[in-house]
C-alpha cells in the first residue's frame, strides 16, 4: 500500500520540471563535488545544510502564501504555473498520500521526506545508466569508446570524434573521460 501511495504522488512531485529545477539549483551550488570514487565523503554537514536550504527554496515555490504548509490549491497553482493541469481530486490525493499528520496539508517535513526518497531513487537510476556506458565495468568512467558503443545500441550512430567532443563538453577535470558527477551534469 505504501509503495502504491508513493508512486501516485511521484507522478506529480517528480515530474521533469521539478527535477530539473532541483538539479539546476544543486549543480550551481555544488560545482566542487567529488566523484563517487573520491576519498572525500560526498555528504558533509555543510553540504547537507546546503541541500536543505535548496529544498526549502523549492518548498517555498509551492507554499505561495508562506504559511509553511502546502494546500491542494497551492499544489494545483504550482503545477498550473509550469503548464501541467492537476485536478482538485488529484491534488487532494497527492497530499493525503504524503501527509503524515493527516491535516490535509503538506508541511516541510512531509515534503522533505518525500523529496529525499525521490532523490535516492533518482541517484540509483543514474548509477544504473552510468554503468551501462562503462566499457570496463566498475572503472568509474565513461570513455569515448563506451559512449559510442552505447549510442550505437540506442540507434544513434556517432563517430569516435563526435563522442570525444561530447565528452569534452562535460569533462570538468579535462581527463578525457566522464566520471559519475560529470555524467550527471551531462544528463541534466
Amino acid at each position: 500500500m505504501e509503495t502504491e501511495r508513493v508512486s501516485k504522488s511521484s507522478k506529480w512531485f517528480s515530474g521533469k520540471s521539478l527535477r530539473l529545477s532541483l538539479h539546476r539549483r544543486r549543480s550551481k551550488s555544488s560545482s566542487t563535488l567529488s566523484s563517487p570514487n573520491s576519498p572525500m565523503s560526498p555528504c558533509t554537514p555543510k553540504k547537507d545544510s546546503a541541500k536543505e536550504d535548496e529544498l526549502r527554496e523549492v518548498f517555498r515555490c509551492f507554499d505561495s502564501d508562506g504559511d509553511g504548509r502546502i494546500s491542494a490549491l497551492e499544489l494545483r497553482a504550482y503545477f498550473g504555473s509550469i503548464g501541467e493541469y492537476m485536478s482538485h481530486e488529484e491534488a487532494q490525493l497527492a497530499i493525503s498520500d504524503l501527509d503524515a499528520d493527516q491535516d490535509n496539508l503538506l508541511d516541510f517535513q512531509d515534503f522533505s521526506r518525500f523529496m529525499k526518497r525521490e532523490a535516492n531513487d533518482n541517484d540509483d537510476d543514474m548509477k544504473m545508466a552510468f554503468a551501462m556506458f562503462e566499457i570496463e565495468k566498475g572503472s568509474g568512467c565513461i570513455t569515448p569508446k563506451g559512449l559510442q558503443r552505447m549510442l550505437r545500441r540506442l540507434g544513434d550512430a556517432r563517430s569516435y570524434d563526435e563522442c570525444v567532443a561530447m565528452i569534452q563538453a562535460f569533462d570538468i577535470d579535462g581527463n578525457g573521460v566522464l566520471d559519475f558527477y560529470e555524467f550527471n551534469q551531462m544528463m541534466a
Side-chain angles (χ1 to χ4, degrees):
M1 177 73 175
E2 182 66 25
T3 304
E4 184 180 323
R5 291 176 64 182
V6 170
S7 64
K8 288 178 184 175
S9 301
S10 294
K11 173 186 174 190
W12 293 106
F13 282 102
S14 63
K16 287 183 181 178
S17 301
L18 182 57
R19 277 192 194 167
L20 290 175
S21 158
L22 284 169
H23 190 17
R24 283 187 191 129
R25 293 173 202 272
R26 184 177 20 213
S27 65
K28 287 178 185 172
S29 66
S30 59
S31 60
T32 59
L33 281 178
S34 57
S35 73
N37 298 329
S38 170
M40 289 180 55
S41 170
C43 291
T44 61
K46 195 176 210 179
K47 287 183 182 159
D48 286 345
S49 175
K51 285 180 183 180
E52 184 170 329
D53 290 345
E54 292 170 10
L55 200 51
R56 284 190 186 283
E57 188 177 331
V58 172
F59 181 80
R60 283 191 289 273
C61 291
F62 284 89
D63 181 20
S64 60
D65 65 6
D67 69 352
R69 296 184 177 124
I70 301 170
S71 68
L73 182 62
E74 288 170 316
L75 196 55
R76 290 185 70 206
Y78 172 80
F79 282 105
S81 75
I82 62 169
E84 302 215 13
Y85 174 76
M86 176 184 242
S87 72
H88 182 72
E89 292 78 23
E90 289 170 322
Q92 281 299 137
L93 180 62
I95 287 179
S96 66
D97 285 349
L98 302 171
D99 182 20
D101 62 6
Q102 302 300 307
D103 65 354
N104 291 322
L105 298 167
L106 294 181
D107 59 23
F108 180 71
Q109 286 72 30
D110 295 330
F111 185 78
S112 177
R113 202 172 23 257
F114 178 75
M115 293 307 290
K116 286 176 184 173
R117 187 170 43 228
E118 283 294 305
N120 288 338
D121 290 347
N122 191 36
D123 283 349
D124 291 344
D125 291 345
M126 290 300 282
K127 287 176 185 172
M128 287 190 323
F130 181 79
M132 290 172 46
F133 284 88
E134 288 179 297
I135 282 185
E136 197 174 307
K137 298 302 175 199
S139 67
C141 66
I142 298 171
T143 63
K145 195 73 162 165
L147 180 60
Q148 183 183 32
R149 183 189 67 185
M150 188 49 129
L151 289 175
R152 189 174 298 131
R153 284 183 183 171
L154 295 171
D156 187 8
R158 298 286 179 127
S159 72
Y160 180 81
D161 290 337
E162 287 175 309
C163 291
V164 168
M166 290 171 71
I167 285 178
Q168 283 177 342
F170 295 94
D171 184 15
I172 296 168
D173 58 11
N175 65 354
V177 297
L178 295 180
D179 62 26
F180 184 71
Y181 175 73
E182 293 165 334
F183 177 73
N184 271 315
Q185 295 301 305
M186 182 179 80
M187 298 305 285

